[in-house]
Amino acid sequence: MRLSDLRGRSVAVWGTGREGRAAVIAVAAHGPASLVAVDDSANFLSLPWDGALAQAAPLHIGQDGFEHLAAADVVVRSPGVPQTHPWLVELRSRGVFVTSGTALWMADHAARTVGVTGSKGKSTTSNLISQLLAAVGRPNIFGGNIGVPLLDLPAADLYVLELSSYQCSDLTDSPRVAVVTSLFPEHLDAHGGEREYYRDKLNLIGHGPETIVINGTDARLVAEVGDRPAVRAAMPDTFHVAPGPDGVPYQFAGDQPLFPRSVFPLVGRHNEGNLCVALAVLDALGVDCVAQREVLAEAAAGIQGLPHRLAEISDPSGVVFVDDTLSTSPYSAMHAIDAYDGRQLTVIVGGNDRGLDYTPLREHLAQRQITVIGIPDSGERIVEQLRDLPSVRTELADDLAAAVRLARKLTPADGVVLLSPAAPSYGRFRNFEHRSEVFAQAIRDTATG
């Protein structure tokens, strides 16, 4: 279904965050017979619904909203509405057509789009693709889950999009190049289980993409993709990192050395894999990466980490504070912890408790000397799983600001304080940006000297 197909139909937009607001404006411009907005979870964090939004779509909140959804020809679901929501299950059982702003947009733009998803690495990889393409003379628009709803994007010849599992699940069109960076259990409460999560995530590659690119070192991802034709990046026959001509690690394209790994400033083995995937995407789009090696090396050297993803914050004390608030699972926190291997590390964990199994994090920290501070809601449960590990110091704090104060007391001047929550932000914060703002403010409020 395209946006133009909504003309003359009754439409309900479910959700009033960024995606819902963008959907209301976009749908209203296509002449629906009627248009309403529904928010069943309005609370003190909700933004005002007024002005042009209220004129375009009257808002119905709370339990009253279901009947307005059920009466619509089409429901446009915001990504924050989980697949397991009882209303969504009932709407589908009644035959109500449910789509999303992402699916509506993709129906019109798939042929000009690189879509990137993954349980970890999608933000960094999509950013890498966008910047490297621009460096070789392929301008593009960057958006999606990174903060700009697709329906708000300007017209362009090429798009690079970061897409969450929530955004992928309703797609009926795959992007021209469909990219998956990694796969591990995530957001299980919102999808209904591990199998359902994988199904929704891999829906990105399920509708005839021209090219599929995956990280070939991710065993679970490789198994789930199976025998579908795909470029398996980070493997020796494609883009990978290996000892180069002088014995130091090099970025390779097959057997051709491109540039030293040290050129690329982002830390961690996982970021090596992200760069390999990004280069494989450029190759799929017709970029001669060997011929452009010098341009790509210069561009890779200038890559800056994304806000909220292993973003370092300077502090007069000498402690390095790191904002990794996009970390929403134990696996992503494990990668972040690995990036600071060998440093005195205090990590702050906890957020919305989706019932995730934190056993992998426990196993990962079993031989490490580290301090872990848990914050609500899941922090107490995470800390409890780690409490008896001999080299792990565990503490609890009432909130994120209190955790920063405690971290300052526990972390030596040459140490690192890492916010890698291993849990989503919602519940106590409007979104991940809000959590990041609170972290940064707490750092400023507690700084001395």
Side-chain angles (χ1 to χ4, degrees):
M1 174 173 284
R2 302 173 185 271
L3 276 166
S4 58
D5 295 328
L6 300 179
R7 183 174 301 278
R9 308 181 77 170
S10 60
V11 180
V13 172
W14 186 0
T16 59
R18 279 185 306 219
E19 295 277 352
R21 289 164 180 261
V24 163
I25 298 302
V27 173
H30 284 79
S34 63
L35 178 61
V36 298
V38 171
D39 186 354
D40 63 305
S41 59
N43 57 34
F44 71 98
L45 294 172
S46 300
L47 297 172
W49 190 265
D50 51 22
L53 288 167
Q55 291 180 356
L59 175 63
H60 302 274
I61 62 175
Q63 295 300 309
D64 175 56
F66 177 75
E67 293 307 319
H68 293 276
L69 295 172
D73 297 324
V74 178
V75 170
V76 181
R77 175 184 71 93
S78 292
V81 177
Q83 295 285 2
T84 53
H85 195 297
W87 287 9
L88 190 55
V89 174
E90 177 62 20
L91 289 171
R92 286 182 166 144
S93 73
R94 295 189 185 190
V96 176
F97 188 86
V98 180
T99 185
S100 67
T102 302
L104 292 169
W105 184 94
M106 192 68 76
D108 286 322
H109 300 86
R112 291 174 282 154
T113 299
V114 176
V116 183
T117 196
S119 303
K120 179 175 175 57
K122 61 183 181 294
S123 304
T124 298
T125 303
S126 53
N127 179 51
L128 279 169
I129 294 167
S130 178
Q131 293 199 43
L132 294 178
L133 282 170
V136 297
R138 298 287 295 276
N140 61 91
I141 295 293
F142 182 35
N145 188 57
I146 196 65
V148 182
L150 273 61
L151 291 171
D152 280 344
L153 295 178
D157 292 329
L158 181 62
Y159 298 90
V160 178
L161 307 178
E162 183 212 330
L163 300 171
S164 70
S165 55
Y166 309 122
Q167 292 172 304
C168 292
S169 62
D170 290 325
L171 294 177
T172 54
D173 302 86
S174 289
R176 174 184 171 185
V177 181
V179 183
V180 189
T181 60
S182 61
L183 199 63
F184 51 74
E186 255 274 49
H187 307 299
L188 303 188
D189 56 335
H191 292 274
E194 187 170 341
R195 296 306 318 163
E196 291 80 4
Y197 168 70
Y198 295 161
R199 175 203 65 202
D200 290 346
K201 197 76 163 169
L202 295 178
N203 191 45
L204 179 75
I205 67 176
H207 304 280
E210 182 178 297
T211 306
I212 298 171
V213 178
I214 66 171
N215 185 333
T217 66
D218 188 309
R220 183 181 285 111
L221 174 56
V222 169
E224 291 293 330
V225 171
D227 59 2
R228 283 186 255 200
V231 177
R232 288 162 169 76
M235 302 300 286
D237 60 340
T238 178
F239 295 88
H240 67 285
V241 175
D246 52 3
V248 301
Y250 255 70
Q251 177 69 59
F252 277 80
D255 61 358
Q256 295 294 310
L258 298 182
F259 47 80
R261 162 63 177 91
S262 59
V263 163
F264 182 49
L266 300 192
V267 298
R269 291 288 300 276
H270 63 289
N271 277 322
E272 289 182 5
N274 293 336
L275 179 58
C276 292
V277 170
L279 291 169
V281 171
L282 265 67
D283 182 69
L285 292 172
V287 176
D288 187 337
C289 293
V290 176
Q292 297 270 21
R293 72 180 82 192
E294 293 185 5
V295 174
L296 292 170
E298 184 177 355
I303 295 292
Q304 300 295 315
L306 288 173
H308 324 302
R309 176 62 78 199
L310 291 180
E312 297 187 356
I313 302 171
S314 60
D315 186 77
S317 69
V319 172
V320 176
F321 286 86
V322 183
D323 176 6
D324 194 46
T325 192
L326 285 172
S327 164
T328 60
S329 78
Y331 297 91
S332 56
M334 287 152 52
H335 284 298
I337 289 166
D338 284 349
Y340 291 92
D341 192 29
R343 303 284 295 274
Q344 291 288 317
L345 182 61
T346 299
V347 59
I348 301 171
V349 299
N352 182 262
D353 195 340
R354 301 167 297 160
L356 288 179
D357 179 10
Y358 286 97
T359 303
L361 181 62
R362 173 187 170 85
E363 294 171 348
H364 197 69
L365 298 182
Q367 305 303 319
R368 291 176 181 264
Q369 187 167 1
I370 191 172
T371 298
V372 178
I373 301 174
I375 60 175
D377 294 315
S378 61
E380 184 173 0
R381 187 165 67 84
I382 298 171
V383 161
E384 186 60 34
Q385 287 208 15
L386 305 176
R387 200 179 297 280
D388 62 341
L389 293 177
S391 298
V392 178
R393 174 174 182 169
T394 57
E395 302 283 351
L396 290 172
D398 290 337
D399 54 31
L400 182 52
V404 170
R405 290 194 297 271
L406 179 57
R408 280 199 182 275
K409 296 178 183 178
L410 301 179
T411 309
D414 59 348
V416 176
V417 176
L418 169 65
L419 172 64
S420 193
S425 57
Y426 48 82
R428 294 181 179 256
F429 304 95
R430 289 189 300 274
N431 47 41
F432 67 86
E433 292 102 333
H434 184 206
R435 179 162 62 182
S436 179
E437 290 167 7
V438 171
F439 182 56
Q441 186 61 53
I443 295 168
R444 291 192 293 269
D445 289 346
T446 57
T448 58

